[in-house]
Structure formats: C-alpha cells, structure tokens
Coordinates of all heavy atoms in Angstrom, one line a residue:
S1 N -1.7 -4.0 -8.8 CA -2.8 -4.0 -7.9 C -2.4 -4.4 -6.5 O -3.3 -4.7 -5.6 CB -4.0 -4.9 -8.4 OG -5.2 -4.6 -7.7
F2 N -1.1 -4.5 -6.2 CA -0.5 -4.8 -4.9 C -1.0 -6.1 -4.4 O -1.1 -6.3 -3.1 CB -0.9 -3.7 -3.9 CG -0.5 -2.3 -4.4 CD1 -1.5 -1.5 -5.0 CD2 0.8 -1.9 -4.4 CE1 -1.1 -0.2 -5.5 CE2 1.2 -0.6 -4.9 CZ 0.2 0.2 -5.4
E3 N -1.2 -7.1 -5.3 CA -1.7 -8.4 -4.8 C -0.6 -9.3 -4.3 O -0.9 -10.4 -3.8 CB -2.4 -9.1 -6.0 CG -3.8 -8.4 -6.4 CD -4.7 -8.3 -5.1 OE1 -5.1 -9.4 -4.6 OE2 -5.1 -7.2 -4.8
T4 N 0.6 -8.8 -4.2 CA 1.7 -9.5 -3.5 C 1.5 -9.3 -2.0 O 2.2 -9.9 -1.2 CB 3.1 -9.0 -3.9 OG1 3.2 -7.6 -3.7 CG2 3.3 -9.3 -5.4
G5 N 0.6 -8.4 -1.6 CA 0.5 -8.0 -0.2 C 1.5 -7.0 0.3 O 1.6 -6.7 1.5
N6 N 2.2 -6.4 -0.6 CA 3.2 -5.4 -0.3 C 3.3 -4.5 -1.6 O 2.6 -4.6 -2.5 CB 4.6 -6.0 0.1 CG 5.1 -7.0 -0.9 OD1 5.0 -6.8 -2.1 ND2 5.7 -8.1 -0.4
Y7 N 4.3 -3.6 -1.5 CA 4.5 -2.7 -2.7 C 5.8 -3.1 -3.5 O 6.4 -2.2 -4.0 CB 4.4 -1.2 -2.3 CG 5.3 -0.7 -1.3 CD1 6.6 -0.2 -1.6 CD2 4.9 -0.8 0.1 CE1 7.4 0.3 -0.6 CE2 5.8 -0.3 1.1 CZ 7.0 0.3 0.7 OH 7.8 0.8 1.7
K8 N 6.0 -4.4 -3.6 CA 7.2 -4.8 -4.4 C 7.0 -4.3 -5.8 O 5.9 -4.3 -6.4 CB 7.2 -6.4 -4.4 CG 8.3 -7.0 -5.3 CD 8.3 -8.5 -5.2 CE 9.4 -9.1 -6.1 NZ 9.3 -10.6 -6.1
G9 N 8.1 -3.8 -6.4 CA 8.1 -3.2 -7.7 C 7.9 -1.7 -7.8 O 8.1 -1.1 -8.8
W10 N 7.5 -1.2 -6.6 CA 7.3 0.3 -6.5 C 8.3 0.9 -5.7 O 8.9 0.3 -4.7 CB 5.9 0.5 -5.9 CG 4.8 0.0 -6.8 CD1 4.2 -1.2 -6.8 CD2 4.1 0.8 -7.8 NE1 3.2 -1.3 -7.7 CE2 3.1 -0.1 -8.3 CE3 4.2 2.1 -8.3 CZ2 2.2 0.3 -9.4 CZ3 3.3 2.5 -9.3 CH2 2.4 1.6 -9.8
T11 N 8.6 2.2 -5.9 CA 9.5 3.0 -5.1 C 8.8 4.0 -4.4 O 8.0 4.8 -5.0 CB 10.6 3.6 -6.0 OG1 11.3 2.6 -6.7 CG2 11.6 4.5 -5.2
V12 N 9.0 4.1 -3.1 CA 8.3 5.1 -2.2 C 9.4 6.1 -1.8 O 10.5 5.8 -1.4 CB 7.7 4.4 -1.0 CG1 7.4 5.4 0.1 CG2 6.5 3.6 -1.4
T13 N 9.0 7.4 -1.9 CA 9.9 8.5 -1.5 C 9.1 9.5 -0.7 O 8.0 9.9 -1.1 CB 10.6 9.1 -2.7 OG1 9.6 9.6 -3.6 CG2 11.5 8.1 -3.5
Y14 N 9.8 10.0 0.3 CA 9.3 11.1 1.1 C 10.4 11.7 1.9 O 11.5 11.0 2.0 CB 8.1 10.7 2.0 CG 8.3 9.5 2.9 CD1 8.7 9.7 4.2 CD2 8.0 8.2 2.4 CE1 8.9 8.6 5.0 CE2 8.1 7.1 3.3 CZ 8.6 7.3 4.5 OH 8.7 6.2 5.4
P15 N 10.3 12.9 2.5 CA 11.4 13.5 3.1 C 12.1 12.7 4.2 O 11.4 12.0 5.0 CB 10.8 14.8 3.7 CG 9.7 15.1 2.8 CD 9.1 13.7 2.5
S16 N 13.4 12.7 4.2 CA 14.1 12.0 5.3 C 13.8 12.6 6.7 O 13.5 13.8 6.8 CB 15.6 12.0 5.1 OG 16.1 13.4 5.1
G17 N 13.7 11.7 7.6 CA 13.3 12.1 9.0 C 11.8 12.1 9.2 O 11.4 12.4 10.4
T18 N 11.1 11.9 8.2 CA 9.6 11.8 8.3 C 9.2 10.4 8.7 O 9.7 9.4 8.2 CB 8.9 12.2 7.0 OG1 9.3 13.5 6.6 CG2 7.4 12.1 7.1
T19 N 8.3 10.4 9.6 CA 7.7 9.1 10.1 C 6.2 9.0 9.7 O 5.5 10.0 10.0 CB 7.8 8.9 11.6 OG1 9.2 8.9 11.9 CG2 7.2 7.6 12.0
L20 N 5.8 8.0 9.0 CA 4.4 7.8 8.6 C 3.8 6.7 9.6 O 4.4 5.7 9.8 CB 4.3 7.3 7.2 CG 4.7 8.3 6.1 CD1 4.7 7.7 4.7 CD2 3.7 9.5 6.1
T21 N 2.6 7.0 10.0 CA 1.9 6.0 10.9 C 1.6 4.8 10.1 O 1.7 3.6 10.7 CB 0.6 6.6 11.4 OG1 0.9 7.9 12.0 CG2 -0.1 5.7 12.3
W22 N 1.3 4.9 8.8 CA 1.0 3.7 8.0 C 1.5 4.0 6.6 O 1.3 5.1 6.0 CB -0.5 3.4 7.9 CG -0.8 2.3 7.0 CD1 -0.2 1.1 6.8 CD2 -1.9 2.4 6.0 NE1 -0.9 0.4 5.8 CE2 -1.9 1.2 5.2 CE3 -2.8 3.4 5.6 CZ2 -2.8 0.9 4.2 CZ3 -3.7 3.1 4.6 CH2 -3.7 1.9 3.9
C23 N 2.2 3.1 6.0 CA 2.7 3.2 4.6 C 2.8 1.7 4.1 O 3.8 1.1 4.5 CB 4.0 4.0 4.5 SG 4.7 3.9 2.8
G24 N 1.9 1.2 3.4 CA 2.0 -0.2 2.9 C 0.7 -0.7 2.3 O -0.2 0.1 2.1
A25 N 0.7 -2.0 2.2 CA -0.5 -2.7 1.6 C -1.2 -3.4 2.7 O -0.7 -4.0 3.6 CB 0.0 -3.7 0.5
N26 N -2.6 -3.4 2.6 CA -3.4 -4.2 3.4 C -4.7 -4.4 2.7 O -4.9 -4.0 1.5 CB -3.6 -3.6 4.8 CG -4.4 -2.3 4.8 OD1 -5.1 -2.0 3.9 ND2 -4.2 -1.5 5.9
S27 N -5.7 -5.0 3.3 CA -7.0 -5.3 2.7 C -8.1 -4.4 3.1 O -9.2 -4.6 2.7 CB -7.4 -6.8 3.0 OG -7.5 -6.9 4.4
D28 N -7.7 -3.3 3.8 CA -8.7 -2.4 4.4 C -9.2 -1.4 3.4 O -8.7 -0.3 3.3 CB -8.2 -1.8 5.6 CG -9.2 -0.9 6.4 OD1 -10.4 -1.2 6.2 OD2 -8.8 0.0 7.1
A29 N -10.2 -1.8 2.6 CA -10.8 -0.8 1.6 C -12.2 -1.3 1.3 O -12.6 -2.4 1.6 CB -9.9 -0.8 0.4
D30 N -12.9 -0.4 0.6 CA -14.3 -0.7 0.2 C -14.3 -1.9 -0.7 O -13.8 -2.0 -1.8 CB -14.8 0.5 -0.5 CG -16.3 0.3 -1.0 OD1 -17.1 -0.1 -0.2 OD2 -16.5 0.4 -2.3
A31 N -15.0 -3.0 -0.2 CA -15.0 -4.3 -0.9 C -15.6 -4.2 -2.3 O -15.3 -4.9 -3.2 CB -15.7 -5.3 0.0
A32 N -16.6 -3.3 -2.4 CA -17.3 -3.2 -3.7 C -16.5 -2.5 -4.8 O -16.8 -2.8 -6.0 CB -18.6 -2.4 -3.5
T33 N -15.5 -1.8 -4.5 CA -14.7 -1.0 -5.5 C -13.3 -1.3 -5.6 O -12.6 -0.9 -6.5 CB -14.9 0.5 -5.3 OG1 -14.5 0.9 -3.9 CG2 -16.3 0.9 -5.5
K34 N -12.8 -2.1 -4.6 CA -11.4 -2.5 -4.7 C -11.2 -3.7 -5.7 O -12.2 -4.4 -6.0 CB -10.7 -2.8 -3.4 CG -11.2 -4.1 -2.7 CD -10.5 -4.4 -1.4 CE -11.0 -5.7 -0.7 NZ -10.2 -5.9 0.5
T35 N -10.0 -4.0 -6.2 CA -9.8 -5.1 -7.1 C -8.9 -6.1 -6.4 O -7.8 -5.8 -5.9 CB -9.0 -4.6 -8.4 OG1 -9.9 -3.6 -9.0 CG2 -8.7 -5.7 -9.3
G36 N -9.4 -7.3 -6.3 CA -8.6 -8.3 -5.6 C -8.7 -8.1 -4.1 O -9.7 -7.6 -3.5
T37 N -7.6 -8.5 -3.4 CA -7.6 -8.4 -1.9 C -6.9 -7.2 -1.3 O -7.4 -6.6 -0.4 CB -6.8 -9.7 -1.4 OG1 -7.5 -10.9 -1.8 CG2 -6.8 -9.7 0.2
Y38 N -5.8 -6.7 -2.0 CA -5.0 -5.7 -1.3 C -5.1 -4.4 -2.0 O -5.3 -4.3 -3.2 CB -3.5 -6.2 -1.3 CG -3.3 -7.4 -0.5 CD1 -3.2 -8.7 -1.1 CD2 -3.2 -7.3 0.9 CE1 -3.0 -9.8 -0.3 CE2 -3.1 -8.5 1.7 CZ -3.0 -9.7 1.1 OH -2.8 -10.8 1.8
I39 N -4.8 -3.3 -1.2 CA -4.6 -2.0 -1.7 C -3.4 -1.4 -1.1 O -2.8 -2.0 -0.2 CB -5.9 -1.1 -1.4 CG1 -6.2 -1.1 0.1 CG2 -7.1 -1.6 -2.1 CD1 -5.5 -0.1 1.0

C-alpha cells in the first residue's frame, strides 16, 4: 500500500529517454477510498 512513502519493493519500467512529470508515492488521493496515507 506504499506506506513507506515510496515504492520500495516495486520495480518501475518504461522506455529509456522518457521523462515523466510525476512517478512516485504521495498522499494526494481521495481520502474516503484510499488505504492509509500514501498512494
């Protein structure tokens, strides 16, 4: 549930040379349906 505040334990893959504006964990999600603090 990403409660470490990051994606430790997970592997992220996407094409080399690609830049993502955002890729990670944060608390910005619907409070009523998320589990814990982070997504």
Side-chain angles (χ1 to χ4, degrees):
S1 196
F2 308 101
E3 290 306 298
T4 58
N6 53 40
Y7 53 93
K8 180 180 179 180
W10 296 89
T11 299
V12 163
T13 56
Y14 52 93
S16 61
T18 301
T19 300
L20 291 173
T21 305
W22 173 49
C23 174
N26 67 20
S27 59
D28 185 23
D30 177 56
T33 53
K34 70 178 181 178
T35 300
T37 301
Y38 297 100
I39 54 90

